[in-house]
Amino acid sequence: MSDDDKNLGNWGVNTRLAHGGYDPRDYHGFVNPPVVHASTVLFPDARTMDRRAQKYTYGTRGTPTTDALAEAINELEGAAGTILVPSGLAAVTVPFLGFAKAGDHVLVVDSVYHPTRIFCDTIFSRLGVETEYYAPDIGADISRLMRPNTTIVHTEAPGSNTFEMQDIRAIADAAHAGGAVVMMDNTWATPLYFRPLDFGADISIHAATKYPSGHSDILFGTVSANAAHWEQLREANTALGVCASPDDSYQILRGLRTMGLRLERHQQSALELARWLEGREDVARVLHPALPSFDGHDIWKRDFKGASGLFSIVLKEPDASRQKTRAFAFLDALKIFGLGYSWGGYESLAVLANLADRRVAKAPAEGPVLRLQIGLEDVADLKRDLEAGFAAARAAG
Ligand SMILES: *Cc1c(COP(=O)(O)O)cnc(C)c1O
């Protein structure tokens, strides 16, 4: 459709997912954009080349394929601009490198995605950037941790593996009062269920490896910025030379077209299982933000539009010496749930969470934490699979 017809703000989210980012009339009417493999772009004459006076100038600076995806993400995030990078982890490290300098202090939530912590404790540390980890429930009190040299406040909600919620608005206001840029790793909710920029974050980060991909076969990251931070983010992207491949960009845009429907099913199945698990003797606690029993539920209910398909259970086994045996027996008995990292694909996965890295947000004491990614399979089959897991865990005592 033409730009005049495109009033995406008024459209429902599934309409925007279906039509965002690309106008078929831009390329002979083909419904999907071309996959442009490019380094060199030719200029018609020396004068145009000298001024770089045309839309595309070099492969690292964008192509019609990457533009289509970036534009679709901008619409979903309400962002001024989006960069595309080759993994979710790069979607964290590129803005970190773009906004921090030697001598800075950065605040990172303690329930952060573990590889983000590794980056801070190695590369940031070597570059002279000091990282301090804060409690996920800190809210406006983050102002007490702000220093004159605090330049980044990094949030992630729900927290990795343990799903702590964060009051993003309160944290953003306090961080801005101290002059810091606020980033959020929003991978769990996707822009469908939470839009960080609407709640005061300046930078929204996604491992598009998860739901946008949806099929466990692509590594990809997106970083979106508000108007005030877009130029600096783009500069970091260009200066670092970290850009995404055309084939993967195409596949992620393809994934977005069905993401709304997939997420609805992930949400529904995960909630049904979470409620069922909450009633079981073998389970001490279910860590799922959409359950009223969960600590951060009020924030989730106030700020989020939905829940995706990833949550954890705490298996009831307070005896630390027996936790691993029980957890391993549970995992080894599963037939539909695969044992593997990552999530957001069509297939269910389970993993024993390692929480040894926590400094402030301590691991639950009641037992081992098992993280479940609920895929698109039939819930009755998943229940039977989990039943077998519980039986094996009991027998392993
Ligand atoms: C998976 C994940 C990442 C990293 O994504 P990769 O593409 O695997 O590098 C970053 N943040 C969160 C919250 C994630 O779940």
Side-chain angles (χ1 to χ4, degrees), residues 116-287:
T116 297
R117 184 189 299 266
I118 294 177
F119 175 86
C120 293
D121 294 348
T122 55
I123 310 281
F124 253 0
S125 172
R126 285 207 289 277
L127 293 175
V129 177
E130 183 191 349
T131 305
E132 181 177 349
Y133 297 98
Y134 66 88
D137 65 354
I138 197 163
D141 282 345
I142 199 151
S143 59
R144 295 193 197 146
L145 302 182
M146 296 291 294
R147 302 180 195 166
N149 62 337
T150 307
T151 47
I152 297 174
V153 172
H154 182 69
T155 65
E156 179 182 328
S160 234
N161 296 315
T162 38
F163 301 90
E164 295 89 342
M165 293 302 300
Q166 293 195 258
D167 189 336
I168 300 299
R169 171 63 70 189
I171 290 171
D173 287 350
H176 287 152
V181 50
V182 178
M183 303 188 183
M184 179 174 186
D185 185 332
N186 187 40
T187 299
W188 183 84
T190 83
L192 268 57
Y193 293 160
F194 188 72
R195 298 214 317 176
L197 305 188
D198 292 350
F199 287 78
D202 304 300
I203 303 278
S204 175
I205 291 164
H206 286 278
T209 303
K210 310 293 168 43
Y211 292 112
S213 158
H215 295 75
S216 304
D217 53 359
I218 304 164
L219 292 164
F220 207 89
T222 68
V223 193
S224 305
N226 59 18
H229 295 82
W230 168 232
E231 277 312 319
Q232 195 170 342
L233 179 66
R234 185 180 23 205
E235 176 200 73
N237 188 217
T238 309
L240 288 164
V242 180
C243 47
S245 86
D247 293 305
D248 290 344
S249 301
Y250 178 87
Q251 293 289 353
I252 295 297
L253 184 63
R254 190 181 203 264
L256 287 184
R257 306 305 188 200
T258 58
M259 190 173 77
L261 278 179
R262 287 187 282 109
L263 270 173
E264 269 178 41
R265 176 60 80 90
H266 285 294
Q267 164 165 256
Q268 186 191 331
S269 299
L271 252 178
E272 187 178 337
L273 285 165
R275 291 194 186 107
W276 173 74
L277 287 160
E278 199 170 34
R280 289 192 63 94
E281 266 300 299
D282 328 65
V283 176
R285 257 198 292 160
V286 179
L287 311 178

